[in-house]
Amino acid sequence: MNTPTIHVPVMPEESIAALEPGPGKTIIDGTFGGGGHSSLLAASVLPGGRVIGLDRDEGAVERSQQIIERLAVHAPQAAAAITVYCASYHQIDRALAAEGLDGVDGILLDLGLSSDQLADRSRGFSFSVEGPLDLRFDTSSGEPASRLLKRWNEKQIADVIYRYGEERFSRRIARRIVQARQEGQAIETTTDLAELVRRCVPRSKNHDIDPATRTFQALRIAANDELQILEQALSRAADWLNPDGRIAVISFHSLEDRIVKNQFRDCPRLEVLTRKPLRPSDTETQHNPRARSAKLRIARRRRDEEMPAVQPY
Ligand SMILES: C[S@@+](CC[C@H](N)C(=O)[O-])C[C@H]1O[C@@H](n2cnc3c(N)ncnc32)[C@H](O)[C@@H]1O
């Protein structure tokens, strides 16, 4: 059997410990991906516990069946504890309803994209392989990035690339995109866009980051509405958690981390357990460079008796 996933989970020990899984607990893995975190969680909720995985990408959900079968060979009980749904993590209500649950003991969100998606040239996530410029996790909704670049005006393109990509040359890139459009040049593939961006952005001194990196990241965040979805989900987290339940979020982008930090802090029903985010160890980043920018924040749903009493008028 070919390996169904090449994704290596980020901060595995820290994120599992954050959720305090134990026998009989039910945990939602809101970003199933290659199932690395789910497999570890499943082993730690036995006997009697459950892991409910969600992924917005139908391809990831299809792959999850192979991942679970693979796990069943050496850990059949853990494999049997995992169920995966195709849904966005801001729709956790749907999974709870389907499972007949009122709440769960833990929620894990490991944001961004998986190495499997990056390696799949048909998805257009990587500027280093030629593919259609799509960049959506869920290809059945929203618009591919190539269409957004046709629809947006120059200012909208520049704003997205500046805001979500923190790209200094956003205006120059936007101007080139609009010019290319006017001249009838196609920006339909990852290579079309990557080459255009490389002509606008000087290479970094040590050549360690491709100039197209920030633009692709920005378009991916926009094409998937990633920040709005994160905000919506975090505003509901306390409703989905049982008292004492925990939520752990691994983010890779400063805007994501700011949303997590602020929403945890501003929700009176949550107790923040990480004043500063946890970071991966040097050993982990040496083995898994993808972990470099990861930040893990954790919060706990307060028990009702811990909530400040509402004062009558
Ligand atoms: C970094 S990967 C998760 C990897 C996973 N933790 C593992 O150990 O293999 C992120 C996954 O989240 C999925 N995803 C992104 N946005 C999502 C959303 N709003 N709802 C559900 N899944 C989402 C992506 O499709 C991708 O498969």
Side-chain angles (χ1 to χ4, degrees), residues 244-256:
D244 259 340
R246 288 174 170 223
I247 175 163
V249 185
I250 305 173
S251 65
F252 295 87
H253 188 291
S254 57
L255 292 175
E256 288 170 345

Side-chain angles (χ1 to χ4, degrees), residues 16 30 34 124 224 261:
I16 304 308
N224 294 295
K261 177 181 163 192

Side-chain angles (χ1 to χ4, degrees), residues 48-93:
R50 307 275 320 277
V51 174
I52 302 162
L54 307 182
D55 204 293
R56 213 179 156 192
D57 178 351
E58 223 171 86
V61 177
E62 271 167 31
R63 250 190 325 270
S64 72
Q65 294 320 307
Q66 284 166 270
I67 291 166
I68 295 170
E69 277 167 31
R70 199 34 107 89
L71 180 65
V73 175
H74 58 91
Q77 285 164 329
I82 306 176
T83 315
V84 182
Y85 291 95
C86 190
S88 171
Y89 63 70
H90 74 301
Q91 302 161 329
I92 283 180
D93 316 53

Side-chain angles (χ1 to χ4, degrees), residues 100-157:
L101 294 167
D102 292 328
V104 291
D105 303 304
I107 298 174
L108 174 66
L109 303 179
D110 173 18
L111 305 176
L113 80 169
S114 70
S115 307
D116 301 314
Q117 289 164 325
L118 204 56
D120 181 349
R121 60 174 64 220
S122 71
R123 306 298 297 276
F125 283 113
S126 171
F127 46 77
S128 31
V129 285
E130 170 123 42
L133 185 63
D134 192 314
L135 291 168
R136 285 173 301 168
F137 294 126
D138 170 8
T139 51
S140 69
S141 73
E143 290 176 83
S146 56
R147 197 165 339 137
L148 294 174
L149 291 183
K150 284 189 195 127
R151 186 162 65 72
W152 288 338
N153 63 34
E154 187 174 324
K155 182 173 183 313
Q156 285 173 306
I157 298 174

